Amino acid sequence: MENKKLAVSVDDLTVAYNYKPVLWDIDLAIPEGVLMAIVGPNGAGKSTLIKSILGIINPIAGSISIYGKPYDEQRKLVAYVPQKGSVDWDFPTTALDVVKMGTYGSLGWIKRPRQKEKKAALEALEKVGMLAFKDRQISQLSGGQQQRIFLARALVQNASIYFMDEPFQGVDATTEIAIINILKELRKSGKTVIVVHHDLQTVPEYFDWVTFLNVKKIATGPVKDIFNDDNLTKTYGINYKVSVQQ
Amino acid sequence: MELQEYFRLVFTDYTLRTITLGTAILGAICGMLGSFAVLRKQSLLGDAISHAALPGIAIAFLITGTKETNVLLLGALISGLIGAFWIRGITRNTHLKSDTALGLILSLFFGFGMLLLTFIQKQPNANQSGLDKFLFGQAATLLARDVWFMAIVTGVCLIILILFWKEFKLLLFDADYTKTLGFNTKFIDILITSFIVLAIVLGLQTVGVVLMSAMLLAPAAAARQWTNSLSVMVILAAIFGALAGVVGTGISASQDNLSTGPVIVLVAAVFVVVSFIFSPSRGLLFRQIRFIQNRKDLQLHKTLAFMYDIAKTHEDKSHPHAIKILNNFHGFTRKSLQKLESKNYIELDGQMWSMTQNGYHFAANLYNQQLSTNND
Amino acid sequence: MTSAQIEIQLIASVVAVACAIPGTFLVLRKMALISDAISHSILPGLVIGFFITHDLSSPLLIILAALSGLVTVILVEFIQKTGLVKEDTAIGLVFPALFSIGIILIAKNANDVHLDVDAVLLGELAFAPFDRLLVDGIDFGPKSLWIIGSILTITVVLLMAFFKELKVSTFDAGLATALGFSPAVLHYGLMSVASVTTVGAFDAVGAILVVALMIAPAATAYLLTNDLKKMLFLSIGFGVLSAISGYWLAHWLDASISGSMTTVLGVLFLLVYLFAPNRGLLSVLYRNKQQRLEVSLLTFLLHLNNHSEVEERHINHLNEHINWQKVRSKSVVDLALKNNMITIDDSIISLTEKGTSFTNKAIDYIITNDDTGIESMKEDFFLFRG
């Protein structure tokens, strides 16, 4: 791993809400090409961590770089899948329209999406198995389908690093498998994928890299080395046991 | 004046044409921008801003002594903005919630405005009649240059809307995501909000401070029911707004001492009620019909499933059975049998029924579907 | 003071108290805007009631108008439940429509209804003493005082009888249900009281200013206390204060009494908003500044605690790596030094023993989400605050 490039590096990051620290002096180096889970109890600051890396939340201290440069210069290398619950699904728009939004960043101000962008959006829809639903109003999709639309929107961005906030929350089993297969494919093609994750049981099966977080960083590294009862206990409190099959 | 006469005069009479054009433009811009306010969950902010505009009108009059509409509206704009920012300050800096902040600013500013209005009324060398119109609106006081001004603002607003359509839509749907794509969300936000405030202030003369917010909300809420596309919604809302403006002005102009504000609002409310009930995809009427339809289908499917269980036990699936054996089955009627026959699921022959091939497959599928949904 | 003047102030005070009580609960339950909706939409009920009774102070009219207030609440809730529009839009659609109906009814029947638009918006407090309650020719005082007085009495009786239930259901709806208080009964009970009070106060202060009398005293009191009983008494106090000083302000300016009552409430709110001891703007801004520095200090100490490498503890690192501006890092270092948390030796910063134990304790508190723990710990360790 030593010779690999760093996709994301976080230095001394501190974030506070109302002057109460939620992330405290986080140092994190994420190598290129990993599929990483961020795990930790509720309120550990998992979403806050990726939101501050993405510049949605302003930290009170620390710096972040993407491939060695500040985030602002590297924006086009990054794609984001927010929590499904963060938007109003009754918004008057179709699945295809939402996926097209992924192209807006590279278009910049004022320019409209054209045939090229539409084609890219359709391809992404096909990749997540939602092509048949392209003209569906988004409120008429199931939770799993909505999550796939969000994933397709990020795929359209054609980024190098993907950040996802709880992509498996409230989705059906089929969608969960479909999503994790796409993520694994992304990793195979050399992309870096960072996922806020809840279900500890599936960590060894889905991911190859993991970060334990509870306000402070507890540990980060390959799943096979550090995903053990010791780190889980440190993260979740006293005597946390999970049967880890390796 | 009769309503028909009004509409005849619209095409011949200069004043009436001006007024009608004015309310149409106003309705259109309010509908357009109201769509954004509704989708951003800022419906009641408009109410607070329009009420907060009242003291600005009175103070502008007290300072300048003029009843020049543009000067008064400038005062309205300033005090409306102060109200809007104070609401933000209250929710940000204290633990008071947004509903309390809205209600506070709305009523306190309005009360202060009424104090000033009654104070002005008692002044010797001024009559307040010119300011009164801002309470419930008087379309009749619209002058040609007021209409020109509205038209210019609407034009600018339309250009901005078309130019930044993509950005507006993105911000409305998903603000955080917009930020990660590198757009300056603060800029887009200020752009939308200032146009909403501008539309409110423009409407004060015609609709008045008390009811202005409804002018913003109602066309948009009605339009939302007919479409699932943002662009169609904005266009429809503009049309509904313009229609409400014209019809409302027509009715109020053809009656004595009726302010335009309440009439326009009521016309818009009728649009809302009609849309809520009769919209094909979301409306309550069709929703109820679909609900009853589904329940009927469910009843039929239950009967069919019962028949399937009987038919299953026989080698020949189309073996006839006596109708009598269905009698102890809950929910079975003659009518439902006929319905099943008309769908070609069963065949009736006197007192006997038999399942068709078609019906057997359908019932088998139904059974499997149920299994898979239970597993989900 | 003439007896009419005393009576006006008395009526205004009673109206203010009657509004402040339900208003407190509306503010606490985040339903302040419902009072806005009710106050507008009782108008058609009032006008129709007047057609039937021809008497603005008839109890039947009050009940009819209050019913139309309740209908509004139910209508808003119905529209919200259909999911056709967002919740706030539902409120924003219902009350302007009903209010418009009321205004048009008044305008169309101007000759029969002794209500004009000014009265709807401002009330007729100044004329209240002239409408007397006469029984067998004996003068029992102004009618409106009797009306609003009876409403206040009922409100106070209900408040005392159901204080515990209201309190529990306002602060913890789940617990209230578990204890067997039906939230629906309390909700509609409160809405009924609010509707009746609004109708009673409408005559005196008008549609929109009822909202001010309900929300403003409660909101002002809420900036000063969290205790329900204190909040009730404070809002009653603010209400009465605004009633009496509002009257004299109106007297002096020769302007509307209800307008100046609202203005006094506005000034009171502004003063408390700016200067309230803990929650006022000034003390919030001061505390934010202090907190910002102290959080920076915590961050800085934790950084030292986390890193034993010399280069991470060099004083210049603060500026480069942690990404702070020069001024801020200087004030943070100063504060740490003043509190004996760190020592600087040849530009290399180290934690003192006190600094280490402080940092470890702080981590514990933050991970367990114990906010008060942090504050009391700061009291223990800090000689100087930020």
Side-chain angles (χ1 to χ4, degrees), chain A residues 43-63:
Chain A
K46 302 184 294 283
S47 297
T48 310
L49 176 61
I50 63 173
K51 280 185 182 169
S52 8
I53 295 175
L54 292 163
I56 298 169
I57 293 174
N58 288 329
I60 61 168
S63 58

Side-chain angles (χ1 to χ4, degrees), chain B residues 41 43-44 47 86 89 93 95 99 107 110 114-115 118-119 122 136 210 214 225 255 257 262 265 282 287, chain C residues 30-32 36 82 84 88-89 95 99-100 107-108 117 208 212 222 253-256 260 270 273 279 281:
Chain B
K41 294 171 201 154
S43 303
L44 295 167
D47 198 29
W86 201 6
N93 297 321
H95 60 298
D99 65 314
S107 55
F110 188 79
M114 287 308 281
L115 172 78
T118 49
F119 175 73
K122 303 281 167 61
F136 292 107
V210 181
Q225 312 311 321
Q255 312 268 328
N257 60 40
V265 167
R282 294 163 66 99
R287 198 190 282 183
Chain C
K30 303 178 191 101
M31 299 193 310
D36 191 26
T82 63
L84 294 173
D88 58 336
T89 312
F95 76 81
F99 193 63
S100 302
K108 292 269 72 176
V117 170
I208 297 165
Y222 200 18
L253 286 174
D254 191 14
S256 144
S260 49
L270 180 63
Y273 173 71
R279 288 145 173 188
L281 190 62

Side-chain angles (χ1 to χ4, degrees), chain A residues 52-74:
Chain A
S52 8
I53 295 175
L54 292 163
I56 298 169
I57 293 174
N58 288 329
I60 61 168
S63 58
I64 283 141
S65 59
I66 307 284
Y67 284 110
K69 286 187 190 154
Y71 176 74
D72 276 343
E73 296 171 27
Q74 304 280 55

Side-chain angles (χ1 to χ4, degrees), chain C residues 111-382:
Chain C
N111 299 332
D112 310 325
V113 189
H114 298 289
L115 259 178
D116 58 17
V117 170
D118 269 358
V120 168
L121 292 176
L122 284 173
E124 289 176 319
L125 202 48
F127 304 119
F130 302 117
D131 191 11
R132 316 292 298 184
L133 182 69
L134 298 173
V135 180
D136 292 335
I138 306 161
D139 184 359
F140 281 91
K143 251 189 199 167
S144 51
L145 186 59
W146 282 97
I147 296 170
I148 194 70
S150 345
I151 292 171
L152 177 61
T153 314
I154 296 169
T155 309
V156 170
V157 168
L158 286 173
L159 177 71
M160 299 221 273
F162 297 104
F163 185 76
K164 185 182 73 214
E165 285 80 356
L166 271 169
K167 185 174 174 178
V168 175
S169 76
T170 301
F171 292 105
D172 188 346
L175 178 66
T177 322
L179 290 176
F181 311 143
S182 156
V185 169
L186 284 170
H187 172 72
Y188 286 107
L190 182 61
M191 289 298 125
S192 313
V193 170
S195 296
V196 174
T197 310
T198 307
V199 180
F202 189 94
D203 198 20
V205 294
I208 297 165
L209 306 185
V210 175
V211 183
L213 280 180
M214 289 222 177
I215 303 176
T220 314
Y222 200 18
L223 289 180
L224 292 169
T225 177
N226 258 351
D227 182 306
L228 179 59
K229 269 188 193 152
K230 276 189 201 151
M231 192 174 155
L232 273 169
F233 283 117
L234 270 176
S235 29
I236 288 170
F238 287 134
V240 173
L241 184 64
S242 76
I244 292 169
S245 46
Y247 173 77
W248 290 105
L249 178 67
H251 187 72
W252 174 60
L253 286 174
D254 191 14
S256 144
I257 300 173
S258 48
S260 49
M261 279 170 72
T262 321
T263 307
V264 172
L265 280 174
V267 173
L268 277 175
F269 177 74
L270 180 63
L271 289 177
V272 172
Y273 173 71
L274 291 178
F275 302 113
N278 270 316
R279 288 145 173 188
L281 190 62
L282 295 185
S283 79
V284 165
L285 289 181
Y286 172 74
R287 200 170 50 240
N288 281 356
K289 193 173 158 256
Q290 185 189 359
Q291 299 264 39
R292 198 177 308 149
L293 194 59
E294 287 175 4
V295 170
S296 304
L297 177 67
L298 284 177
T299 311
F300 170 58
L301 294 176
L302 189 75
H303 181 73
L304 294 174
N305 198 19
N306 273 354
H307 295 278
S308 48
E309 316 88 283
V310 169
E311 66 270 21
E312 288 276 343
R313 293 192 284 123
H314 192 278
I315 197 155
N316 287 344
H317 172 80
L318 270 180
N319 301 332
E320 293 158 15
H321 215 173
I322 310 189
N323 209 7
W324 282 348
Q325 307 304 319
K326 263 210 170 103
V327 185
R328 193 145 138 219
S329 52
K330 191 176 175 316
S331 54
V332 170
V333 173
D334 284 349
L335 186 65
L337 276 174
K338 268 201 284 189
N339 282 310
N340 299 328
M341 301 277 193
I342 54 166
T343 53
I344 302 181
D345 190 13
D346 196 17
S347 295
I348 304 299
I349 307 168
S350 320
L351 279 178
T352 61
E353 209 170 291
K354 183 186 171 195
T356 314
S357 71
F358 173 80
T359 314
N360 288 334
K361 238 179 165 173
I363 298 170
D364 277 354
Y365 280 132
I366 286 168
I367 289 178
T368 53
N369 273 321
D370 187 352
D371 288 336
T372 48
I374 299 176
E375 285 306 315
S376 67
M377 182 188 68
K378 283 182 188 168
E379 302 287 334
D380 291 346
F381 278 86
F382 284 0

Side-chain angles (χ1 to χ4, degrees), chain B residues 107-128:
Chain B
S107 55
L108 293 181
F109 272 60
F110 188 79
F112 180 51
M114 287 308 281
L115 172 78
L116 293 175
L117 280 194
T118 49
F119 175 73
I120 291 168
Q121 208 170 24
K122 303 281 167 61
Q123 297 299 299
N125 50 15
N127 72 54
Q128 186 223 7

Side-chain angles (χ1 to χ4, degrees), chain A residues 76-138:
Chain A
K76 296 206 167 129
L77 299 179
V78 174
Y80 173 46
V81 179
Q83 265 185 34
K84 190 158 59 68
S86 66
V87 301
D88 167 21
W89 287 97
D90 196 36
F91 193 81
T93 190
T94 60
L96 178 60
D97 258 358
V98 172
V99 178
K100 267 200 225 160
M101 288 176 186
T103 66
Y104 288 7
S106 56
L107 283 170
W109 288 92
I110 296 177
K111 256 180 59 208
R112 293 299 179 85
R114 309 214 171 265
Q115 279 308 315
K116 193 182 111 203
E117 281 76 21
K118 188 176 173 188
K119 219 181 113 215
L122 289 174
E123 276 167 16
L125 273 170
E126 184 156 28
K127 217 177 277 175
V128 299
M130 290 289 296
L131 196 55
F133 298 90
K134 67 182 168 66
D135 296 320
R136 213 39 109 69
Q137 206 272 325
I138 51 173

